[in-house]
Every structure is written in structure tokens, then in C-alpha cells.
């Protein structure tokens, strides 16, 4: 039984839930404690109680703790990556890469703890001094999705702790193993009791208890648009700070002057790697007429060769989708696309492998229009659509015609078109000759429109969420 961490103690939950391997559903990874509402309240109580001392702790203490956590994650990346691939279904190299990223994030924020800055501003009143400083926000509720089980928790927990906040962390129910491993490492980093708490359990119970507790000063949420709307309504009603990272329907524009090989690589890796289960996945491939047929032929040839199998098997390029619900959703969208009149150029079939798992072949739709449901709604699986356009102007109009605005990419050899796209794309992140997915860990991450709300995550911009600006006036006597 893997327990919750509340007020520095490892505790059983009110019940337990099994963690399943999507590559082999007969493989039960372990039983994980499910916290009750009372236990969640106890974790919040502990975090509130620990806040005063932690907020005043020395920055060297915080820097050393975060650096140590990062070092242990990096040293154990293969073992932690194995757990991640086993419970989430991304391939072993992708999982090990994600774990390494989590380690780097902790080390980066260890450094950020030493770089907390303020400002001295001249006063309009002679002799008065004005200082602007950043103070920790308080107790942060962190609610994360299943698709990046260690990197997303890392990019929320590390800055929260670096800036002197206390944390109540609720991971996604489908991936408690990586969350528990991370909590285990944090629990040995020398933080005072209650500064960091892990409460595994369902969103409707544990998540809801976090959102509604007035002692939670801020909520950092990543997940679906539906849950994000709930987080926003509850936090806004009680005046708590919140940030939301939600879905995407990211366009990748291929202009007729694009280097074909680069464009095909960007499309295949952006749309299908990590089994397409990325908020930044390139799900709409917007392709200029002159290159359209060559591009489609090359992408179909490429995805036919992709090896779909057990996430931890050597040579696997695409693992299973995460669970039965996600598989059903992907297959439903394949049918929806066909019913809407799109051509299924390849894939979208349930696959059997040596073990029973949630395997589906990567799917490419052609002859699609941007107003089809498959191009409006986030599928969150290995499914992409091609939309044919005349030129740059039509491509940009189609790219921006979406409720989302997370990431947008363009493949072109024209500096003029690349520069124009960086300006014109209504997205928080723009990629030129790169896949829409795949970002650095030390720079801001986030979107526009329905994809995101609130201040940016990651890099030094994380301070915007995890601190409050205070203005102090002094008249020296
Ligand atoms: P989800 O169903 O919204 O769940 C996200 C988290 O919210 C989970 O921990 C979930 O707990 C919890 N939750 C569910 N209901 C809740 C409630 N009533 N109150 C409080 N918390 C609640 O999303 P998901 O299926 O895990 O993740 C996929 C989505 O995340 C996709 O839309 C994807 O685009 C998005 N995503 C966005 C980004 C980004 O940075 N923009 C990154 C990654 C993923 P349970 O697991 O217990 O249900």
C-alpha cells in the first residue's frame, strides 16, 4: 500500500485504488491510498500551520532542498521512468526524458530561490523610500493531469516551494505511482513537516475539498477545459488566485516552400509521439496545395512504419493510450470523422499485442474542413487531420479559427513567412520548423483563449503566480 503524506506522516487513506498498466491490463502496479475529505482538510491544516516558518526560511535552505530533490530525480531517472512508462503508457525513452526534465526543473528552481528580486522606486515625496518586494502567496493547491505524471507536478511544486509557499498536491488518479515516487523524494529533502503534502484520491472528492477550502490561497491546475471551468468558478467566487492550463487543438502549417523532410518529421512527432496525448499535440495539419499530396504520401508512409506496442518494450515508438475511456473516445472520434465525410487515410484501428492493452494505430484524416468536429474538439489521442489551404493568408486564418490557443507551428524556408507567423498566430507558443510539442523547461509555458488562464508557468515567469507583490514606503527618521 502506497500511503499519503500528511503533516510529515505517511498515512493510509479511507480506501485504496489499484494502479493499472495500460500496456498490460493484467499488471497491477500497486494499491494507492485514497484520502477522505477530512484527511484532505488535515493536509491543508498542516500546510497552513507550516507556512509562517517556511515563508521566512532562508533562501539557501530552499535552494539546497530543491537542488537535492533534482539531483535524486536525475540519478534515478531510469527507474522512475520505468514506473512512468508502466503506468501512463508513453514509451520508455519518452518517460525517462520526462523524468530528467522534472529533475532539471527542480534544479532550475533551486537557483531561482536565490534570484528572488525586488525593486527600489523613487518616491514623489522627497525623503520617502519605496521598495517593491515579492512575498510568498501562501498555501497552494496543486491539481495535475495524467499525461505528464512527473513533469507537470514538478513545474508547479518546485516554484511553489522555491518562493516560500506550502503545498497540497493532488495528482491524477490514473498515475499515482510517479506522484508517490516524487513525494517520497521530497519527503527526504529536509523540508519541515507540513510544507509539502500528498493527497491521492478522486477529483470529485479530494480535488473539490482543495478548491473549496478557504485556507488554500492559490490553485495551480492543469487538465481539461471542463474541470478548469469548475476550478475557475469556485476560486473566483471565494477570491483565491488560480491559474489554468487546459486543452489545445494546435495547428501546424506547412507552406509550399517547406523542407519536406522537416515538415513530415514535425507532423509525425508532434501529432503521434506520446500517443498524441499532449496538450501541445499537432492535431491540425494545415497544408498548402502545392505540397499537399507529397506531404500526405510521406506522412502516411511514415506512420505505417511506426511500431505500436508495450510502452517498455525496446523499439516501441507509440505506446498504448492511457485507459479504456480514452480508447473509446479516440475510436468514437474516428467514427465521427468518417461520418462527417473525412477520408481516413490510415490507422484508427484497435490493435492486439502480446498482452491485452489499449492499443490503437495512429490515424490520419485527409479531405477535412476546419469546421468538422474532429478539427474543433480536442481528441487527445494519436489522431491528426489534414486541412488543405491555398496560401499563407488562408493558412493563418484556419490556424487561428479555433477556441484554443496553446501552441502553433509553421514549416517554411521563408524568413518573411516565419516572422509573420510568429506575429499572427494567436497562440501562447509559436514554433518555426519545429513540432508544436516539445518545449524548454526554463522559459514561460502557456496559451491564449480557451487553453489557459492566468499567469504563465515555468521559468522566472512562475514568480507571477507563486508570489504577491508588496509595496513598502519608509521615511527614515
Ligand atoms: P481532468 O479530467 O480535467 O483532470 C485533471 C485533474 O483534475 C485530475 O487530477 C483530476 O482528478 C482533477 N479533477 C477532476 N474533477 C475534479 C473536480 N471536480 N474538482 C477538482 N479536481 C478535479 O484532465 P485529464 O484527463 O487528467 O487531463 C487531460 C487534459 O489535460 C487534456 O485536456 C489536456 O489538453 C490537458 N492538459 C493541458 C496541459 C497544458 O499545459 N495546457 C498539459 C497537459 C494536459 P482525477 O484524476 O481524480 O479525476
Amino acid at each position: 500500500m502506497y500511503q499519503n503524506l500528511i503533516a510529515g506522516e505517511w498515512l493510509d487513506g479511507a480506501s485504496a485504488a489499484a494502479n493499472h498498466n495500460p500496456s498490460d491490463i493484467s499488471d497491477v502496479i500497486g494499491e494507492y491510498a485514497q484520502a477522505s475529505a477530512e484527511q484532505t482538510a488535515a493536509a491543508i491544516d498542516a500546510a497552513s500551520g507550516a507556512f509562517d516558518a517556511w515563508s521566512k526560511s532562508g533562501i539557501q535552505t530552499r535552494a539546497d532542498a530543491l537542488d537535492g530533490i533534482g539531483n535524486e530525480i536525475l540519478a534515478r531517472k531510469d527507474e522512475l521512468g520505468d514506473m512512468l512508462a508502466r503506468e501512463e503508457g508513453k514509451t520508455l525513452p519518452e518517460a525517462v526524458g520526462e523524468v530528467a526534465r522534472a529533475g532539471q526543473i527542480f534544479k532550475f528552481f533551486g537557483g531561482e530561490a536565490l534570484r528572488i528580486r525586488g525593486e527600489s522606486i523613487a518616491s514623489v515625496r522627497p525623503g520617502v523610500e519605496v521598495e517593491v518586494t515579492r512575498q510568498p502567496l501562501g498555501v497552494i493547491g496543486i491539481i495535475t493531469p495524467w499525461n505528464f505524471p512527473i513533469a507537470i507536478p514538478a513545474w508547479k511544486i518546485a516554484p511553489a516551494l522555491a518562493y516560500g509557499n506550502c503545498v497540497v498536491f493532488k495528482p491524477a488518479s490514473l498515475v499515482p505511482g510517479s506522484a508517490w515516487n516524487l513525494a517520497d523524494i521530497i519527503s527526504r529533502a529536509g523540508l519541515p513537516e507540513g510544507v509539502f503534502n500528498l493527497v491521492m484520491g478522486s477529483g470529485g472528492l479530494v480535488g473539490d475539498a482543495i478548491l473549496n477550502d478557504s485556507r488554500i490561497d492559490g490553485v495551480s491546475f492543469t487538465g481539461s477545459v471542463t474541470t478548469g471551468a469548475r476550478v475557475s468558478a469556485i476560486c473566483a467566487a471565494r477570491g483565491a488566485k488560480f491559474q489554468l492550463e487546459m486543452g489545445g487543438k494546435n495547428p501546424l502549417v506547412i507552406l509550399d516552400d517547406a523542407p519536406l523532410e522537416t515538415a513530415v518529421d514535425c507532423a509525425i512527432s508532434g501529432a503521434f509521439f506520446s500517443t498524441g496525448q499532449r496538450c501541445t499535440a499537432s492535431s491540425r495539419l494545415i497544408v498548402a496545395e502545392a505540397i499537399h499530396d507529397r506531404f500526405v504520401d510521406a506522412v502516411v508512409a511514415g506512420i505505417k512504419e511506426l511500431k505500436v506496442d508495450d510502452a517498455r518494450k525496446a523499439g516501441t515508438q507509440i505506446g498504448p493510450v492511457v485507459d479504456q475511456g480514452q480508447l473509446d473516445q479516440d475510436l468514437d472520434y474516428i467514427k465521427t470523422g468518417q461520418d462527417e465525410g473525412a477520408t481516413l487515410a490510415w490507422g484508427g484501428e484497435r490493435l492486439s499485442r502480446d498482452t491485452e492493452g489499449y492499443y490503437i494505430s495512429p490515424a490520419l484524416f485527409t479531405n477535412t474542413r476546419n469546421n468538422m468536429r474532429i478539427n474543433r474538439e480536442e481528441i487527445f489521442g494519436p489522431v491528426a487531420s489534414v486541412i488543405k489551404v491555398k496560401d499563407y493568408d488562408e493558412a493563418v486564418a484556419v490556424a487561428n479559427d479555433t477556441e484554443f490557443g496553446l501552441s502553433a507551428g509553421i514549416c517554411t524556408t521563408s524568413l518573411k513567412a516565419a516572422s509573420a507567423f510568429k506575429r499572427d498566430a494567436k497562440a501562447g507558443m509559436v514554433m518555426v520548423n519545429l513540432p508544436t510539442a516539445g518545449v524548454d523547461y526554463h522559459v514561460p509555458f502557456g496559451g491564449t483563449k480557451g487553453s489557459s488562464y492566468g499567469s504563465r508557468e515555468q521559468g522566472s515567469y512562475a514568480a507571477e503566480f507563486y508570489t504577491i507583490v508588496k509595496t513598502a514606503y519608509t521615511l527614515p527618521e
Side-chain angles (χ1 to χ4, degrees):
M1 165 72 81
Y2 293 90
Q3 296 167 309
N4 281 314
L5 180 65
I6 298 172
E9 272 190 86
W10 290 101
L11 298 174
D12 284 343
S15 59
N19 184 7
H20 291 274
N21 176 351
S23 298
D24 174 3
I25 57 178
S26 68
D27 174 25
V28 176
I29 299 166
E31 295 287 330
Y32 289 79
Q34 302 289 287
S36 62
E38 292 71 30
Q39 287 176 318
T40 308
I44 297 169
D45 204 43
S48 302
F51 177 65
D52 187 52
W54 181 245
S55 65
K56 294 172 185 155
S57 60
I59 54 170
Q60 191 65 54
T61 306
R62 292 185 230 155
D64 289 346
L66 292 171
D67 193 57
I69 294 166
N71 284 339
E72 182 169 343
I73 294 172
L74 287 170
R76 293 173 56 198
K77 68 180 178 355
D78 293 331
E79 167 212 343
L80 299 174
D82 187 72
M83 163 63 92
L84 202 163
R86 188 173 166 203
E87 70 175 354
E88 198 271 349
K90 65 182 60 170
T91 65
L92 202 48
E94 289 171 333
V96 171
E98 182 184 332
V99 171
R101 178 184 203 80
Q104 287 156 338
I105 288 168
F106 271 95
K107 290 177 74 64
F108 173 81
F109 281 107
E112 283 297 276
L114 303 176
R115 289 189 285 264
I116 300 173
R117 288 190 187 84
E119 258 188 303
S120 171
I121 301 179
S123 171
V124 291
R125 286 172 283 172
V128 172
E129 294 168 359
V130 182
E131 280 169 294
V132 179
T133 53
R134 287 191 175 273
Q135 311 253 303
L137 179 57
V139 178
I140 312 287
I142 291 180
I143 303 180
T144 55
W146 50 263
N147 66 327
F148 282 94
I150 198 163
I152 291 180
W155 81 50
K156 295 178 189 294
I157 295 167
L161 297 176
Y163 297 115
N165 301 284
C166 293
V167 168
V168 177
F169 167 42
K170 190 217 104 53
S173 295
L174 283 173
V175 288
S178 298
W180 191 92
N181 283 341
L182 179 59
D184 172 51
I185 293 170
I186 297 173
S187 76
R188 288 182 280 96
L191 307 180
E193 282 175 10
V195 167
F196 171 82
N197 302 270
L198 169 72
V199 275
M200 298 176 285
S202 79
L205 199 150
V206 172
D208 205 59
I210 291 173
L211 297 182
N212 283 295
D213 196 306
S214 60
R215 293 167 300 173
I216 293 282
D217 301 289
V219 174
S220 183
F221 168 84
T222 300
S224 64
V225 172
T226 312
T227 314
R230 191 170 165 75
V231 174
S232 138
I234 295 174
C235 290
R238 66 177 186 81
K241 196 172 179 183
F242 60 98
Q243 65 177 180
L244 312 172
E245 286 301 338
M246 300 171 286
K249 198 71 199 170
N250 309 289
L252 176 67
V253 169
I254 316 293
L255 292 186
D256 49 17
D257 64 1
L260 186 64
E261 203 178 322
T262 302
V264 171
D265 286 351
C266 287
I268 292 179
S269 117
F272 304 113
F273 287 0
S274 294
T275 325
Q277 298 176 145
R278 290 192 284 199
C279 51
T280 48
S282 319
S283 47
R284 293 183 300 139
L285 308 173
I286 300 167
V287 187
E289 279 169 355
I291 196 171
H292 176 274
D293 293 356
R294 281 181 292 142
F295 173 79
V296 167
D297 289 348
V299 171
V300 170
I303 59 177
K304 276 182 182 171
E305 298 302 316
L306 291 176
K307 190 164 172 243
V308 182
D309 209 331
D310 188 313
R312 295 187 294 159
K313 209 181 234 184
T316 296
Q317 290 166 291
I318 310 272
V321 301
V322 75
D323 71 351
Q324 185 67 50
Q326 188 61 52
L327 180 67
D328 293 344
Q329 178 168 314
D330 296 348
L331 293 170
D332 280 352
Y333 273 111
I334 298 294
K335 183 167 178 321
T336 301
Q338 289 171 309
D339 291 347
E340 287 181 305
T343 306
L344 184 59
W346 176 259
E349 280 175 9
R350 183 89 164 83
L351 301 174
S352 1
R353 292 293 178 257
D354 293 346
T355 50
E356 196 184 337
Y358 307 114
Y359 300 106
I360 179 173
S361 52
L364 186 74
F365 279 114
T366 53
N367 297 316
T368 79
R369 293 182 311 279
N370 198 45
N371 61 3
M372 291 176 169
R373 275 185 60 204
I374 52 167
N375 285 327
R376 312 291 322 169
E377 298 167 16
E378 185 182 45
I379 299 174
F380 219 55
V383 183
S385 300
V386 176
I387 305 167
K388 195 196 278 188
V389 291
K390 278 197 302 294
D391 53 16
Y392 174 83
D393 289 341
E394 189 184 353
V396 171
V398 170
N400 288 337
D401 178 12
T402 169
E403 287 170 18
F404 297 105
L406 191 56
S407 182
I410 190 165
C411 292
T412 179
T413 46
S414 157
L415 182 58
K416 189 174 170 207
S419 299
F421 191 75
K422 284 192 270 186
R423 182 194 61 221
D424 296 339
K426 292 190 174 19
M429 296 174 293
V430 183
M431 313 288 179
V432 177
N433 296 324
L434 289 165
T436 55
V439 292
D440 283 9
Y441 64 86
H442 66 302
V443 297
F445 177 96
T448 61
K449 301 197 274 182
S451 290
S452 303
Y453 179 86
S455 40
R456 287 284 183 261
E457 299 206 73
Q458 301 201 60
S460 54
Y461 288 73
E464 298 293 332
F465 182 74
Y466 293 100
T467 63
I468 302 174
V469 167
K470 183 178 272 182
T471 313
Y473 296 82
T474 308
L475 177 61
E477 288 290 341

